[in-house]
Amino acid sequence: MVYEHHGRVAVITVDRPHRRNAIDGDTAQLLRRAWQHFEIDDKADVGVLTGSGGHFGSGADLKSFDLVDMPEGFLGFTRMTVSKPTIAAIEGYCVAGGLEMALWCDLRVAAENSVFGCFERRFGVPLVDGGTQRLPRIVGEGMAMEMILTGRPVDAEEAHAIGLVNMVVEDGAALDVALELGARIAQFPQPTLRSDRMALIEGIGMRVGEGLARERMLGLEVYDNARRGAARFAAGAGRSGRLVGWLSPVRSEPVEEVDEKPEVMAAAADVGSAQHVQHPAVAQEMVAVEETTDDLPEPAAMSAAMPSNHDHHGDDESPVGLVWGLPPAASGPMVLVLSESGKVDDQTRLMVERLSNAGFLTLAVDLPDLSAEAPSRVGVSVDAAISRLFRHPVGRGEGVGLVGVGLGGGVALWYATIDERVRAVVSYAGRMPSRDFNPRYDDTRAKFLGHYGKDDSTVSAQFAYDLEIMLRDRGIDATFNIYRDAAENAFELSTEEDDSRAALAFRRTVAFLTRAT
């Protein structure tokens, strides 16, 4: 496997020409690490995937047949979503899993000698790296069904005619043309380009109204770029189709081999046992909580219903402070935000604002001391907040999403296993406040999304990886993203333009909550 830079374009080359670039277990691991590196590579704005020796890829190596079901896909990356554009540069065979790798890319440049097809049909090997889902989205259901059922070869001319590839070029020129295309894409302002790309990717599976709301939210996040672009145009830049000098000219850089070993992570914490039970203390106090929350203020708009500092007094189990965010539409899915400290701080308020602007009825509440209180007391407060969401006339749906940070993320993971109303959990570096918070995941109805950091001091990336595997083994929808430094940086939202990990994590959060709630 080779990872190299050509200006602002990164090229990832599968280098197994003796096997027509068939993928074995080691190569799949290298592909996974290469695309993870691309995601955080500040020198690369576009990624090109290609193969050496005149072929793109022939799929799984059936001689070794040692691929395993990683969260990122059998081939190492086909269940990942990177935030930057990708191009497949195709020569020769692009079949079976090789076709699935090309389908994962945003654009496909094919040489005249290219051959496509679901050749695994001949050996009884299933399409498990996105082929059944991406192929019909690109070429249509009828043509995709024909290719999948017959396994017949498709040449480059036909592939272009059915929309499988974007362009056909002379033999041997696919990589050069892909690099030219990548360099052209890299010359544009990247925040807006990536926002539009993500709106397309995430909106394909949504209803039109939901897709329009998602497009609006992503567009608003980068609207300052539009203002700056308009100012440059008004000043005379970019007239007659000229580029406006977003980046420096393309340059070549030396080849870098991707052969480093993954870092050793810290040992994982206990991720819970296999039984699911309703927490008795929470179940007993549900009715009492309803009577303690009626005196709390109702929202008027994005309102702060509390002073800057809040303290709990007496024995009232209900939250004494809360912040609401109302969706732009007449109604919206319901989300509860749980902070690290249990208090509604500035970052939590900003998360409420962003989520409400994205179309959700959002609530953040003060909770008891998460690091000191028993689960029963914390659970009663969370239940009270969820009950308020369901009573609000703007709320829509039969379930609620929980977004938690740190200890709040751990509470969200735990509470989803004892309350069937919770349908989605987003955990930013979530960790359990104490061993008394014991999630029992077997019967939960929730889906899970995690944002964790490689360098977190309080919770290891290995914990997140192990938790994802455990949940998926139970048939639970779970995706846990690992960022290159501390996960807290993924939660540090900004009121200014933000093209950082926080913006990426938030986009993933909104897409997940839209799908799951």
Side-chain angles (χ1 to χ4, degrees), residues 196-271:
D196 289 346
R197 172 183 176 271
M198 196 59 66
L200 188 155
I201 291 172
E202 295 174 355
I204 283 178
M206 298 178 182
R207 291 175 296 191
V208 172
E210 294 173 342
L212 288 171
R214 183 74 183 122
E215 178 189 71
R216 173 189 179 220
M217 191 280 294
L218 288 170
L220 289 174
E221 283 190 356
V222 295
Y223 204 69
D224 284 346
N225 285 276
R227 292 191 179 95
R228 288 194 292 271
R232 291 199 299 273
F233 178 82
R239 300 292 173 85
S240 303
R242 298 192 305 273
L243 288 172
V244 295
W246 169 252
L247 292 170
S248 59
V250 175
R251 65 187 186 282
S252 298
E253 295 185 3
V255 171
E256 304 168 14
E257 292 286 346
V258 179
D259 58 2
E260 69 276 8
K261 299 295 183 182
E263 295 184 8
V264 178
M265 303 295 184
D270 181 17
V271 294

Side-chain angles (χ1 to χ4, degrees), residues 13-18 20-21 50-56 91-93:
T13 305
V14 180
D15 190 22
R16 302 190 77 216
H18 59 291
R20 289 180 176 170
N21 297 319
T50 193
S52 65
H55 294 287
F56 181 80
E91 304 268 355
Y93 280 111

Side-chain angles (χ1 to χ4, degrees), residues 123-261:
F123 305 103
V125 178
L127 284 78
V128 288
D129 280 272
T132 64
Q133 301 305 302
R134 295 190 177 104
L135 186 59
R137 285 169 167 82
I138 293 171
V139 303
E141 181 180 350
M143 183 57 67
M145 191 67 77
E146 178 187 338
M147 290 181 64
I148 290 171
L149 294 183
T150 67
R152 70 175 180 85
V154 174
D155 62 22
E157 181 180 359
E158 182 182 2
H160 187 254
I162 64 177
L164 180 56
V165 301
N166 299 91
M167 60 183 73
V168 177
V169 300
E170 294 180 357
D171 293 350
L175 179 57
D176 288 340
V177 174
L179 287 171
E180 292 174 5
L181 181 59
R184 190 186 318 161
I185 293 171
Q187 292 293 315
F188 295 120
Q190 293 300 298
T192 305
L193 181 144
R194 295 176 191 176
S195 174
D196 289 346
R197 172 183 176 271
M198 196 59 66
L200 188 155
I201 291 172
E202 295 174 355
I204 283 178
M206 298 178 182
R207 291 175 296 191
V208 172
E210 294 173 342
L212 288 171
R214 183 74 183 122
E215 178 189 71
R216 173 189 179 220
M217 191 280 294
L218 288 170
L220 289 174
E221 283 190 356
V222 295
Y223 204 69
D224 284 346
N225 285 276
R227 292 191 179 95
R228 288 194 292 271
R232 291 199 299 273
F233 178 82
R239 300 292 173 85
S240 303
R242 298 192 305 273
L243 288 172
V244 295
W246 169 252
L247 292 170
S248 59
V250 175
R251 65 187 186 282
S252 298
E253 295 185 3
V255 171
E256 304 168 14
E257 292 286 346
V258 179
D259 58 2
E260 69 276 8
K261 299 295 183 182

Side-chain angles (χ1 to χ4, degrees), residues 322-401:
L322 56 130
V323 166
W324 287 93
L326 300 185
S331 64
M334 298 171 287
V335 176
L336 176 64
V337 180
L338 308 176
S339 71
E340 161 78 2
S341 64
K343 305 294 184 182
V344 182
D345 56 18
D346 289 342
Q347 278 296 310
T348 305
R349 289 172 183 268
L350 187 54
M351 176 62 80
V352 170
E353 182 179 357
R354 292 280 184 89
L355 287 171
S356 64
N357 288 338
F360 298 95
L361 172 65
T362 313
L363 174 63
V365 298
D366 279 358
L367 296 175
D369 186 348
L370 300 181
S371 62
E373 294 292 344
S376 59
R377 180 175 170 84
V378 175
V380 164
S381 294
V382 175
D383 171 74
I386 292 176
S387 297
R388 289 192 67 83
L389 279 166
F390 274 95
R391 290 202 302 269
H392 197 284
V394 173
R396 185 179 74 225
E398 299 179 353
V400 64

